[in-house]
Amino acid sequence: MAELVRVAVDAMGGDHAPAEIVKGAVEAVNADERVKVFLTGRKEEIEAQLKNHTFDTSRIEVVHAQEVIETAEPPVMAIRKKKDSSIVKALYMVKDGTCDAFVSAGSTGAVLVGGQVIVGKIKGVERAPLAPMIPTENGVALLIDCGANVDARPSHLVQFAKMGSIYMENVVGVPNPRVGIVNIGAEEEKGNALVKETFPLLKNCPEINFIGSVEARDIPMGGADVVVCEAFAGNVILKMYEGVGAVMLKKVKAGLMTSLRTKIGAWLVKPALKQTMKGFSTEEYGGAPLLGLNGLVVKTHGSSKAVEIRNSILQCVTFKEQRIADKIREKITLEN
Amino acid sequence: MAELVRVAVDAMGGDHAPAEIVKGAVEAVNADERVKVFLTGRKEEIEAQLKNHTFDTSRIEVVHAQEVIETAEPPVMAIRKKKDSSIVKALYMVKDGTCDAFVSAGSTGAVLVGGQVIVGKIKGVERAPLAPMIPTENGVALLIDCGANVDARPSHLVQFAKMGSIYMENVVGVPNPRVGIVNIGAEEEKGNALVKETFPLLKNCPEINFIGSVEARDIPMGGADVVVCEAFAGNVILKMYEGVGAVMLKKVKAGLMTSLRTKIGAWLVKPALKQTMKGFSTEEYGGAPLLGLNGLVVKTHGSSKAVEIRNSILQCVTFKEQRIADKIREKITLEN
């Protein structure tokens, strides 16, 4: 048998913890025999959930952690003080090599800060970007960076472009991914100071397939495979997806419920409509990796249910087998 | 009879010029007897269009301009060189007081640059922001700034908040409009350097109803009436509306056409669906004013048809009657 991929999972993080997290972990080990999960958190609560499931007991371990970091806590302080929390314990397991990866639906801030502080960045990596998959008209794109570190410098964005290309090519399977920089126009001379300074650096970067500027309008249309931006813009893009999507869905639903006529029509169209809309949600794509670390850290949406947790864990297998961290290390170290 | 509101209209600007522009101008003077329109552009082409319509000939004048500024031209150069263009001539008519306002569906860059350079900013106004209306779940909000001047400073954002409040209150009729600053989290300590510096300034500004940060997700939900941001973020927000909206509409349409069953259903739901979706489009709200100038300059979407041109012209009436430029002058001069 091949080597196991060992994934620490924050059993206490997210809106549906621990029930859905534990369920997702069980589904992951049942779906792929290369996976071993370490559930971190309150032992009794986790074990009470595990009793409801059937699984290979040699591939799920419970690691007790008494504390829980709440979403509202200031992350730096929480990481420093709550050493016995499900997040901090799991991150140390990645750091010391007990685990290959960590998946959490808990505090984004704590996962981002903890990932950089405890697991640590690959030598030469200036910043570890958070890179969620976003839906496009006929596929997906990688949005890099959506993390907590705003006010990026041009050199950061160049590293994001390289790391994002490696991820898209090796984990998602998009050959020679098209890299675009988010801009307010298509021309090279447009943009703010950051974009103007970064543009020529990307243009002169032989290892990536840089296609120039991508306007926000073209991101949902699939204008680029790797969408490079600093974290403030990335956050705005990601949350506009959620906001516009949610309001439009409400409008569609309202339209379907206006009269008896539309209600009958709704009954006829709903299943097909659900199907076509399904792919176009930012929550469909499991976790967002925090790239550039000495190990994999994956942040999933706070509202994640078992299916997202399962997918995020399974994603770690590809990440490890494709040796993404090594590939990033090679590419970034080469530069320095 | 009250004083006429004199609006210069760029008959050569936009995808559907001159036919739809001329039609919109005719509809505006027919809809409101306080309106007089000066159509700038190639006289022969404009007059050929005017022949198709019936209107009070004393309230539409044609002002010949031989040149047209194309969308792709670098704006600063175009404004400087093409003195005999429909845009430059119209802007000089606002500057010298022949007209109160200018409406164009042409080159955004040329309108923005020309507005500031030719019409000129109100004394004390540091930057003239472009402020389109955006749809929200149950109404509209003003997104300020979406212009071409990126890398704003905190003092600019404070002026945007004040000018936006005046516009929302007096033109749109929202009493005591809620002002929010676009941010990546709700807490005061979040954000990039610009937002962190601007936040306390807005908080200590007695003339506006500042409600704190607004996350991008909450903008379409109606989280604020005046959405303050620098132009790069504003452009991303506006274009994400367009992009996500367009792709979701395609998905809905695809869902309605998957089978005979859904096609019958589609026939039943389509009229109501169209109705509920209609309000949620960025193109519904006519033009975006360029605020803070010595006169009104309105930029409408390049794809504008007669109805948007008409609405943009009629908007100028409220703008003039509510003395928006005066109110901005009073508020900004007070500060200096």
Side-chain angles (χ1 to χ4, degrees):
Chain A
M1 208 178 88
E3 207 187 337
L4 285 172
V5 177
R6 300 149 306 160
V7 183
V9 175
D10 173 12
M12 313 310 288
D15 307 339
H16 305 291
E20 289 289 324
I21 312 296
V22 171
K23 189 165 173 241
V26 169
E27 287 179 9
V29 300
N30 287 344
D32 192 328
E33 60 175 17
R34 293 167 297 181
V35 171
K36 173 160 186 177
V37 169
F38 295 77
L39 287 164
T40 62
R42 294 191 183 124
K43 197 164 185 169
E44 279 172 40
E45 292 180 40
I46 298 170
E47 282 176 347
Q49 291 298 329
L50 281 173
K51 273 183 196 144
N52 307 326
H53 302 284
T54 313
F55 56 93
D56 173 355
T57 52
S58 76
R59 288 193 291 118
I60 293 192
E61 268 185 41
V62 179
V63 178
H64 181 69
Q66 187 57 36
E67 291 172 298
V68 174
I69 296 177
E70 306 295 339
T71 312
E73 287 181 69
V76 178
M77 192 62 87
I79 289 294
R80 201 176 297 159
K81 293 233 164 140
K82 291 191 167 172
K83 296 287 181 207
D84 192 27
S85 63
S86 55
I87 289 178
V88 173
K89 275 215 161 162
L91 286 167
Y92 274 107
M93 291 173 78
V94 177
K95 184 193 166 64
D96 69 20
T98 312
C99 286
D100 302 297
F102 171 47
V103 171
S104 176
S107 160
T108 307
V111 172
L112 295 188
V113 171
Q116 306 204 41
V117 172
I118 298 171
V119 177
K121 285 178 299 210
I122 290 170
K123 194 164 172 269
V125 169
E126 299 178 54
R127 270 192 184 181
L130 185 69
M133 300 294 300
I134 50 173
T136 62
E137 198 178 335
N138 299 307
V140 288
L142 191 76
L143 182 64
I144 185 167
D145 175 28
C146 284
N149 294 308
V150 292
D151 298 317
R153 287 198 298 270
S155 60
H156 301 155
L157 265 59
V158 173
Q159 290 196 339
F160 296 169
K162 289 180 191 171
M163 292 192 269
S165 294
I166 292 170
Y167 191 86
M168 269 315 260
E169 179 138 13
N170 296 285
V171 177
V172 188
V174 176
N176 202 24
R178 296 163 303 145
V179 176
I181 186 166
V182 176
N183 204 351
I184 58 170
E187 304 83 10
E188 184 166 349
E189 68 274 9
K190 286 220 174 167
N192 55 15
L194 175 67
V195 171
K196 281 182 188 166
E197 232 182 292
T198 308
F199 197 103
L201 301 179
L202 291 173
K203 211 171 154 184
N204 293 320
C205 190
E207 313 121 278
I208 59 164
N209 176 16
F210 183 56
I211 58 163
S213 295
V214 57
E215 284 194 78
R217 183 198 289 121
D218 297 323
I219 297 171
M221 318 271 187
D225 302 311
V226 178
V227 176
V228 174
C229 56
E230 60 80 38
F232 194 93
N235 187 286
V236 166
I237 291 166
L238 189 67
K239 290 185 174 168
M240 284 301 294
Y241 259 101
E242 294 179 20
V244 174
V247 172
M248 285 197 77
L249 269 187
K250 276 190 198 173
K251 296 272 173 193
V252 170
K253 279 181 190 162
L256 295 180
M257 299 308 287
T258 37
S259 67
L260 180 60
R261 174 186 165 138
T262 62
K263 282 179 192 166
I264 296 169
W267 176 75
L268 292 168
V269 301
K270 255 190 182 166
L273 211 52
K274 248 191 181 157
Q275 196 55 37
T276 54
M277 304 296 277
K278 199 183 163 190
F280 203 68
S281 155
T282 49
E283 292 178 24
E284 278 294 307
Y285 300 98
L290 188 59
L291 292 175
L293 299 183
N294 292 309
L296 177 59
V297 172
V298 176
K299 173 67 183 76
T300 76
H301 210 282
S303 62
S304 292
K305 294 218 171 178
V307 59
E308 286 97 34
I309 299 299
R310 187 192 87 124
N311 290 344
S312 297
I313 295 170
L314 296 178
Q315 192 181 342
C316 299
V317 177
T318 319
F319 196 92
K320 191 189 175 186
E321 297 200 331
Q322 291 292 331
R323 303 184 310 107
I324 301 303
D326 290 345
K327 282 175 179 149
I328 290 175
R329 194 173 289 118
E330 285 156 21
K331 191 143 274 187
I332 302 289
T333 312
L334 204 81
E335 309 291 303
N336 289 279
Chain B
M1 206 178 91
E3 207 188 338
L4 285 171
V5 178
R6 301 150 306 161
V7 183
V9 175
D10 173 12
M12 311 311 287
D15 307 340
H16 306 290
E20 290 289 325
I21 313 295
V22 171
K23 188 164 175 242
V26 169
E27 287 179 9
V29 299
N30 286 344
D32 192 328
E33 60 175 16
R34 293 167 296 180
V35 172
K36 173 159 184 176
V37 169
F38 296 77
L39 286 164
T40 63
R42 294 192 183 124
K43 198 165 183 169
E44 279 174 40
E45 293 180 40
I46 298 169
E47 283 177 348
Q49 292 297 328
L50 281 173
K51 274 185 197 145
N52 307 326
H53 303 283
T54 314
F55 56 94
D56 173 356
T57 52
S58 76
R59 288 193 290 118
I60 293 192
E61 268 185 40
V62 179
V63 177
H64 180 69
Q66 187 56 37
E67 292 172 298
V68 175
I69 295 177
E70 307 294 339
T71 313
E73 287 182 69
V76 178
M77 193 62 87
I79 289 294
R80 201 176 297 160
K81 295 236 164 139
K82 291 192 168 172
K83 296 286 180 208
D84 192 28
S85 63
S86 55
I87 289 178
V88 172
K89 276 216 161 163
L91 286 167
Y92 273 107
M93 291 172 78
V94 178
K95 183 191 167 65
D96 68 20
T98 313
C99 287
D100 303 298
F102 171 47
V103 171
S104 176
S107 160
T108 307
V111 173
L112 295 188
V113 171
Q116 307 204 40
V117 171
I118 298 171
V119 178
K121 286 177 298 209
I122 290 170
K123 195 168 171 263
V125 168
E126 300 178 54
R127 271 192 185 181
L130 185 70
M133 300 294 299
I134 50 173
T136 62
E137 196 177 338
N138 299 307
V140 288
L142 191 76
L143 182 63
I144 186 168
D145 174 27
C146 286
N149 294 308
V150 292
D151 298 318
R153 286 198 297 270
S155 60
H156 302 154
L157 266 58
V158 173
Q159 289 195 341
F160 297 170
K162 289 179 191 173
M163 292 192 269
S165 294
I166 292 170
Y167 191 87
M168 269 315 260
E169 179 137 13
N170 296 285
V171 177
V172 189
V174 176
N176 201 24
R178 297 163 303 145
V179 176
I181 186 166
V182 176
N183 204 351
I184 58 170
E187 305 83 9
E188 184 166 348
E189 68 273 7
K190 286 220 173 165
N192 54 14
L194 174 67
V195 171
K196 281 182 188 167
E197 232 182 293
T198 308
F199 197 104
L201 301 179
L202 291 173
K203 212 172 154 184
N204 294 320
C205 190
E207 313 121 279
I208 60 165
N209 175 17
F210 182 56
I211 59 163
S213 295
V214 57
E215 285 194 77
R217 183 198 289 122
D218 298 322
I219 297 170
M221 319 272 188
D225 301 312
V226 178
V227 176
V228 175
C229 55
E230 58 81 38
F232 194 94
N235 187 284
V236 166
I237 291 166
L238 189 67
K239 290 187 173 166
M240 284 302 293
Y241 259 101
E242 294 179 20
V244 175
V247 173
M248 285 195 77
L249 269 187
K250 276 192 197 171
K251 296 271 173 194
V252 170
K253 279 181 189 162
L256 294 180
M257 299 309 286
T258 38
S259 66
L260 181 61
R261 173 185 165 140
T262 62
K263 282 178 193 168
I264 297 169
W267 177 75
L268 292 168
V269 301
K270 256 190 181 166
L273 211 51
K274 248 191 180 157
Q275 198 54 38
T276 53
M277 304 296 277
K278 199 185 164 190
F280 202 68
S281 155
T282 49
E283 292 177 25
E284 278 295 307
Y285 301 97
L290 187 59
L291 292 174
L293 299 183
N294 291 309
L296 177 58
V297 172
V298 176
K299 172 69 184 75
T300 77
H301 210 281
S303 63
S304 292
K305 295 216 170 181
V307 59
E308 286 98 34
I309 299 298
R310 187 191 87 123
N311 290 344
S312 297
I313 296 170
L314 296 178
Q315 190 182 344
C316 299
V317 178
T318 319
F319 195 91
K320 190 189 178 189
E321 298 201 331
Q322 290 293 330
R323 304 186 309 107
I324 301 303
D326 290 345
K327 282 176 179 149
I328 289 174
R329 194 173 288 117
E330 286 157 22
K331 192 142 274 184
I332 301 291
T333 312
L334 203 82
E335 311 290 306
N336 289 279

